[in-house]
Amino acid sequence: MSEIERLLEPRIAERAGVPEEGVRDVFATYGLPLVATPSRPRSLRLHRLRVSGVRTGSVAPGPFDSTMRFSDGMTALVASNFRGKTSVLELVTWCLRGTPRELQSGVRNWLSTLDLDVVVAGQAMGFRLDIAEGEIVSAVVLTAMDVTQLQSLREADPARDVSPLIRAASSASYAEQVQALMLGRLDLQPLVNSYKGTATQTHGWPAYYGAIYLPAGGDKALLGDLTMAGLPGRLLQVFLDLPATAALTRVKTALDVRVNENKARAATAAAIAGELDSQRVKLQSDLTQARARLEALDKESAMEESLSGLAERAVALAGRVVDAQETRNELVQAHRRARSQRQQDTKMLNDVTESATARRLFHGLDPRACPRCDQAIEEERRLRESATHACAVCARPVEGDDETPEDVITEAKTRLSASEAAEQAARDALGPAEEDLARVTEELAAVQERLRRAQTASQLPARLAAQEAVLRLEGALDFLPKPRPTAAAPAETAAVDILAAGAKILEDDSKDAAAALFGALNAEIAELGRRFGIVSLESVEIDRSARLKVTKDGGIEDRFGKQSAGERLRLRIAVVIALLRVGAAHGVSTHPGLLLIDSPKAEEVQDLDAHTLLKELSQLAADNKLQVVITTADPVLAHDVLPPDSVIEAADSAPLW
């Protein structure tokens, strides 16, 4: 037994440093195989297609019932454009793939029955579909000892050893069952890849079918019709039968998911720990504030005075404030009068000092009203008296001798001194009154504040609320969860180590096998590409990810996706045939050996010849047990390359079926 064929269990256990039982447990958890075994033969051959129904529209409307038989090598479907060539490929696809790829809804609605006879890995199968309004209403897949037994049957016949493999009553059920049937019969495993790090995506039979029904030339994928998740490379490795390719994919996916789950778990634990720390800091801060509040309330409670005593004192102080306010107001008025008198005496002194007339009027003092009628003397007359020396009482000019000016001035000074003394006395009396009023007012405000704080009925709810807040916060801190350790459990670490060891061993096995196969594969692809008409092609280099580097035109290198549409189609076909030829040479089963190619001539450019492509492809199909079904609108091309029994041709402008 070779190293590749050895049981993986002891090799993985040795590399991971764990008991073999641990390897079995982990691989069993994920349903992973522990042995790399060669694949069974997976050939696929078309024999007969029958389609019936009622066509509507302007082209050949009415009932139809057509049967087509496919040759072992190349079969050409020939008809004008839009006359059903591509639909034949889609009908075959509907039967084999479970769902058509691009079958028009109008065509689906024409169908009533669809039969396809094939041989899958040596087993004859008959696909029988009953269709109404474009959907499957009943379907059965039959099996027999020989494919010829199926051509006249649409139901199981035990007497003739024809039995059912699956039955379905809807399009969805049929698709699901057929895809599982084909995977199992062709010994193919679902292709699994990780999705967003913590989940998986599974690609089944439709992904493999993309390497049978080739996409259009302009498509970027070298193998298959999906470029996501590295599917082209996985198809390449499966069809080269590299050891444990499917198992490697599943082990890698399981490892990726497990590692990312651990990372996500650690990140979540770290986030939770950070959140708990933030909550703990906030709770501690809130608790400190609540305790300070309660302590302050307790101090205030200890300092409370009698409510009635404070109220009596507040009333007494309010009375004192009123009395002090009245006293202060009286003193303010007295001060204002004294200040006014002092101002008048000051002015009078100035006047008698500077004016003889003023001195003559001095002894008349400063009458405020007429001595006869008590009428108030207007301010205007007072001003005029000062300006024109006209008496403010009688308005006559004041004339006469100024005989005793010194006496008048002396008396005016005496009066000013008296008014200044009176003003100072009023000011001296006002100051203490204002201070007393301020002191009593401040004392009243303090008593009123203490009275408010001493209202026990309002303080009690606040104290209770503060106590409740302290207790609640203390409880929250006590019950706040402690951060869990983020280190992975030993069992988890061991599982990751086992999966990593398995992935490494399978990867090494695959690389070793690829080293022997890829050199031959590159040579085959380059030789086939030149035979298909890419005359400037010098060499190619393909890797296990199905990335193809193309060298042509004197050493110019470029990627597959940079080639023209016609060149990409030729290289796709070359890759599939190279897989078959290299597989046959090395004794490994690879591609199912069926190719469906829609209108290859449509991809042509001037420097590439469809005639060369079809001729070489026909010869290679015959030499390599390859079945090819192509479509073309060029009957001359088909008949020039193929014998009549390999051409299914419609009449001029008529539909193919």
Side-chain angles (χ1 to χ4, degrees):
M1 180 180 293
S2 69
E3 182 69 14
I4 292 175
E5 292 174 329
R6 278 181 52 202
L7 284 174
L8 295 173
E9 180 181 317
R11 299 166 64 197
I12 295 173
E14 180 181 357
R15 185 177 185 89
V18 299
E20 293 182 11
E21 183 180 354
V23 176
R24 286 195 297 270
D25 290 343
V26 170
F27 272 61
T29 299
Y30 288 95
L32 302 172
L34 274 169
V35 61
T37 57
S39 298
R40 297 193 303 269
R42 53 170 67 103
S43 63
L44 178 58
R45 290 294 179 270
L46 305 179
H47 283 266
R48 182 183 68 96
L49 176 70
R50 174 176 173 263
V51 55
S52 66
V54 179
R55 181 182 288 103
T56 60
S58 58
V59 179
F64 60 87
D65 190 338
S66 301
T67 298
M68 305 174 199
R69 299 184 185 278
F70 303 96
S71 60
D72 290 337
M74 177 182 285
T75 301
L77 305 176
V78 182
S80 302
N81 290 330
F82 310 110
R83 292 297 184 269
K85 303 185 302 296
T86 301
S87 296
V88 172
L89 303 185
E90 292 293 338
L91 296 175
V92 170
T93 298
W94 194 351
C95 292
L96 293 180
R97 184 175 180 262
T99 56
R101 196 169 67 179
E102 295 178 354
L103 185 61
Q104 297 177 2
S105 59
V107 174
R108 291 174 64 136
N109 288 330
W110 296 344
L111 305 176
S112 60
T113 61
L114 179 59
D115 297 350
L116 179 66
D117 295 338
V118 300
V119 176
V120 182
Q123 182 178 16
M125 293 186 186
F127 296 78
R128 304 294 184 257
L129 280 57
D130 294 324
I131 302 167
E133 297 181 353
E135 297 296 335
I136 295 173
V137 295
S138 176
V140 62
V141 177
L142 305 173
T143 183
M145 296 298 294
D146 188 88
V147 71
T148 58
Q149 294 176 262
L150 298 171
Q151 61 183 354
S152 61
L153 296 177
R154 299 199 80 249
E155 290 293 340
D157 187 350
R160 299 170 65 177
D161 293 328
V162 177
S163 58
L165 292 175
I166 64 171
R167 290 188 182 275
S170 68
S171 297
S173 174
Y174 177 76
E176 180 180 359
Q177 293 187 66
V178 162
Q179 290 169 18
L181 174 67
M182 296 301 289
L183 280 179
R185 188 57 198 166
L186 292 175
D187 194 30
L188 295 169
Q189 297 295 324
L191 300 173
V192 184
N193 64 279
S194 60
Y195 177 70
K196 294 185 177 179
T198 57
T200 60
Q201 283 183 324
T202 301
H203 305 275
W205 171 238
Y208 286 106
Y209 195 81
I212 293 174
Y213 189 177
L214 299 188
D219 198 88
K220 298 294 185 181
L222 175 63
L223 197 61
D225 52 10
L226 294 174
T227 57
M228 62 181 295
L231 284 177
R234 296 183 183 186
L235 291 177
L236 177 68
Q237 295 177 48
V238 169
F239 289 143
L240 263 182
D241 201 26
L242 296 182
T245 296
L248 172 61
T249 298
R250 295 171 64 188
V251 170
K252 276 187 169 182
T253 299
L255 176 62
D256 289 344
V257 170
R258 199 90 178 219
V259 168
N260 284 304
E261 283 178 349
N262 289 345
K263 289 180 179 178
R265 196 157 40 240
T268 301
I272 292 174
E275 179 64 23
L276 290 176
D277 287 343
S278 298
Q279 292 181 23
R280 185 172 288 103
V281 170
K282 185 177 187 307
L283 286 172
Q284 191 62 58
S285 175
D286 292 346
L287 179 58
T288 300
Q289 295 178 18
R291 285 172 173 168
R293 172 65 175 158
L294 180 60
E295 183 179 356
L297 289 173
D298 288 341
K299 288 181 180 179
E300 291 176 3
S301 178
M303 296 173 62
E304 287 180 355
E305 299 181 55
S306 169
L307 190 61
S308 59
L310 285 173
E312 290 176 0
R313 189 172 180 187
V315 170
L317 286 170
R320 288 179 56 188
V321 168
V322 172
D323 293 342
Q325 184 72 45
E326 291 178 353
T327 299
R328 182 256 184 195
N329 289 344
E330 291 174 357
L331 290 173
V332 166
Q333 294 298 325
H335 176 262
R336 287 176 179 172
R337 288 193 296 271
R339 183 178 59 188
S340 177
Q341 185 61 49
R342 188 265 306 163
Q343 290 172 343
Q344 291 180 14
D345 290 344
T346 299
K347 183 177 182 299
M348 184 63 72
L349 175 59
N350 291 335
D351 288 346
V352 298
T353 301
E354 297 173 359
S355 169
T357 302
R359 288 193 289 274
R360 287 194 292 270
L361 291 171
F362 176 75
H363 291 292
L365 300 177
D366 187 18
R368 296 293 175 179
C370 176
R372 297 186 62 187
C373 63
D374 291 331
Q375 184 115 10
I377 300 174
E378 298 175 353
E379 187 64 25
E380 182 181 353
R381 299 186 73 169
R382 293 177 181 280
L383 295 174
R384 190 164 55 244
E385 178 184 79
S386 177
T388 64
H389 299 167
C391 178
V393 178
C394 63
R396 291 181 181 178
V398 179
E399 297 177 356
D401 297 329
D402 186 12
E403 297 176 351
T404 58
E406 294 82 358
D407 294 340
V408 173
I409 292 172
T410 299
E411 184 177 351
K413 289 181 177 180
T414 300
R415 290 184 180 183
L416 176 59
S417 296
S419 62
E420 286 177 343
E423 181 183 13
Q424 184 61 46
R427 183 183 299 112
D428 292 342
L430 178 60
E434 287 181 333
E435 291 176 359
D436 183 59
L437 175 61
R439 183 176 60 256
V440 175
T441 300
E442 183 177 354
E443 187 176 353
L444 175 60
V447 170
Q448 288 175 333
E449 176 62 25
R450 291 163 63 190
L451 181 62
R452 284 192 293 272
R453 289 200 305 267
Q455 292 173 344
T456 307
S458 62
Q459 288 284 0
L460 182 57
R463 189 180 301 108
L464 291 176
Q467 290 174 342
E468 180 183 355
V470 170
L471 293 174
R472 176 175 53 80
L473 292 168
E474 288 176 343
L477 277 172
D478 289 340
F479 285 97
L480 190 67
K482 301 296 187 293
R484 295 180 180 179
T486 57
E492 182 67 25
T493 302
V496 171
D497 291 343
I498 289 169
L499 290 172
K504 177 60 176 172
I505 288 173
L506 291 169
E507 181 80 14
D508 291 344
D509 290 349
S510 181
K511 285 182 179 179
D512 292 343
L517 294 175
F518 272 60
L521 188 64
N522 288 331
E524 287 286 351
I525 295 172
E527 190 264 333
L528 291 168
R530 287 188 290 268
R531 288 179 62 176
F532 290 159
I534 311 178
V535 295
S536 60
L537 182 63
E538 296 177 7
S539 64
V540 300
E541 183 178 345
I542 193 169
D543 62 18
R544 291 190 306 143
S545 297
R547 293 184 296 248
L548 186 69
K549 183 168 65 176
V550 180
T551 302
K552 59 182 183 178
D553 297 324
I556 298 176
E557 294 183 354
D558 218 336
R559 289 293 178 185
F560 170 79
K562 298 295 185 180
Q563 310 306 306
S564 69
E567 290 171 326
R568 285 202 292 272
L569 176 62
R570 282 164 168 73
L571 289 171
R572 276 196 199 96
I573 299 171
V575 167
V576 173
I577 297 176
L579 288 174
L580 289 167
R581 298 178 78 172
V582 170
H586 289 78
V588 295
S589 56
T590 57
H591 191 277
L594 172 65
L595 278 182
L596 308 180
I597 307 173
D598 188 23
S599 300
K601 191 174 179 181
E603 308 291 357
E604 300 307 323
V605 291
Q606 292 181 359
D607 60 335
L608 297 176
D609 182 12
H611 187 279
T612 300
L613 171 63
L614 265 63
K615 184 175 181 180
E616 293 294 341
L617 186 55
S618 175
Q619 184 61 48
L620 288 166
D623 295 342
N624 294 275
K625 297 181 180 179
L626 171 68
Q627 188 179 38
V628 181
V629 180
I630 65 166
T631 67
T632 180
D634 187 348
V636 175
L637 173 63
H639 286 289
D640 189 41
V641 172
L642 299 172
D645 59 355
S646 294
V647 178
I648 301 174
E649 184 175 4
D652 291 343
S653 301
L656 189 62
W657 47 273

